[in-house]
Amino acid sequence: MVSTLGPTVVRRQLGRRLRQLRDVSGLSVDQVVAERHLGISRAKLFKLEAGKHAVKPQDIAVLCARYGVAAKETGALQALALATQDASWWHVYGEDAVPEWFSLFVDLESAAATIRQYEAELVPGLLQTRDYAWAIYRAAQPDAEDAEIERRVTIRMERQAIFDRAKPPTLHAVLNEAALLRNVGGAEVMAAQLATLRDAAERPEITIDILPLDAGAHAAMSGTFAILDFQKPEEDPSVAYVETAISAAYLQKPAELDRYDVIFKQILSSTIPLLEYSP
């Protein structure tokens, strides 16, 4: 089945980032288009920043060079530019990647109307306590400086502000029971984390279910994923996000989305509401 998507959320988010970089540089549209050697017309710059069409990596290179953007972010944005040319795409990031250019997923998350998520090993980032998040990051990067861990934890905590909005997204999280039984950070950290989850589950926009270990084999054993749906699906199609240790897939083909929708529905048939769960 061929996808005939209009402007994607990815393209729109990339356009917003280009606009932000231009603003930070202090350049107006007139100043950019006046530099004819850049090869960027007024109409083209408008379309790029508005997310109206696919972005070429060379356009990113030219604009980022003019805006004084660091090479690391330029390369990341060029990778995203390649992604905007496909209906279903892969965005790969290295082990030393930092959230500055990982803003794509953060933007998708904050723009979503609904988030359906399955986590096999840990509590989802949107529901983690600070101490739990610190323990997760420290385990993943045992040699990292405390300042680096703190920066990452702070960004994760800031992501949770989406639930403080007047119209927060709806989150339906399914956690493998193993995520609650694994002693992350010690008994006190886990007790606080479980209490935070129970408080979250009391909120009308958040549903938390547990997939018990005695459910046996299940449809989501291939790994963690999230499905993000948006307010205007005709403009911003749904995205299935699948993460590994060194890469992330952003899937938008109908067949891919249908598959993850089926998986989520299948595991729900075996879950227990968190508020009824007792370890």
Side-chain angles (χ1 to χ4, degrees):
M1 186 173 185
V2 178
S3 174
T4 55
L5 298 174
T8 65
V9 170
V10 174
R11 192 177 300 162
R12 290 146 75 97
Q13 297 301 335
L14 179 55
R16 290 188 183 101
R17 183 57 181 156
L18 288 175
R19 171 62 186 271
Q20 290 170 355
L21 292 172
R22 180 171 61 77
D23 287 343
V24 169
S25 74
L27 294 171
S28 67
V29 170
D30 288 340
Q31 288 173 309
V32 174
V33 301
E35 300 184 46
R36 298 188 181 279
H37 67 280
L38 298 180
I40 305 292
S41 67
R42 181 181 298 276
K44 184 174 185 177
L45 185 59
F46 171 80
K47 289 179 179 179
L48 291 176
E49 292 185 353
K52 296 295 185 180
H53 61 68
V55 184
K56 295 180 180 179
Q58 53 265 42
D59 292 332
I60 295 292
V62 166
L63 290 173
C64 284
R66 183 63 187 88
Y67 300 159
V69 179
K72 188 173 185 178
E73 179 163 14
T74 298
L77 294 178
Q78 286 180 302
L80 295 185
L82 285 173
T84 67
Q85 300 175 46
D86 300 316
S88 180
W89 54 278
W90 292 86
H91 176 52
V92 180
Y93 54 94
E95 294 180 354
D96 62 342
V98 294
E100 283 95 354
W101 68 263
F102 188 58
S103 60
L104 170 62
F105 181 73
V106 176
D107 285 339
L108 289 172
E109 186 178 67
S110 64
T114 65
I115 303 169
R116 290 171 287 163
Q117 186 168 6
Y118 169 69
E119 281 287 355
E121 284 288 335
L122 47 78
V123 172
L126 288 176
L127 300 171
Q128 291 178 6
T129 66
R130 173 173 285 275
D131 289 339
Y132 183 97
W134 180 281
I136 291 293
Y137 277 124
R138 174 53 71 199
Q141 294 185 308
D143 298 327
E145 297 288 339
D146 284 352
E148 173 63 12
I149 299 296
E150 178 62 24
R151 184 172 66 89
R152 289 174 178 263
V153 170
T154 297
I155 292 171
R156 177 157 293 184
M157 296 299 102
E158 289 176 352
R159 283 170 51 197
Q160 298 176 5
I162 61 175
F163 294 118
D164 297 329
R165 298 189 314 215
K167 293 183 179 180
T170 298
L171 171 65
H172 191 166
V174 174
L175 282 65
N176 191 317
E177 185 180 13
L180 299 185
L181 298 178
R182 189 174 303 283
N183 190 347
V184 174
E188 290 186 7
V189 170
M190 287 305 299
Q193 178 63 78
L194 184 56
T196 295
L197 287 174
R198 292 188 182 281
D199 288 344
E202 296 280 4
R203 299 179 61 154
E205 70 273 14
I206 298 177
T207 300
I208 304 174
D209 291 319
I210 307 303
L211 182 62
L213 294 177
D214 61 14
H218 58 85
M221 294 184 77
S222 59
T224 292
F225 64 90
I227 306 169
L228 301 97
D229 304 303
F230 302 91
Q231 197 67 44
K232 297 181 179 180
E234 68 282 359
E235 295 181 1
D236 297 328
S238 299
V239 176
Y241 174 80
V242 185
E243 185 177 293
T244 73
I246 60 171
S247 66
Y250 296 79
L251 309 173
Q252 287 186 295
K253 289 181 179 177
E256 296 165 336
L257 291 168
D258 288 346
R259 179 59 184 148
Y260 278 99
D261 183 66
V262 167
I263 291 173
F264 194 79
K265 289 176 179 176
Q266 287 177 332
I267 61 175
L268 281 181
S269 65
S270 301
T271 60
I272 302 169
L274 173 68
L275 296 178
E276 298 177 14
Y277 169 77
S278 177

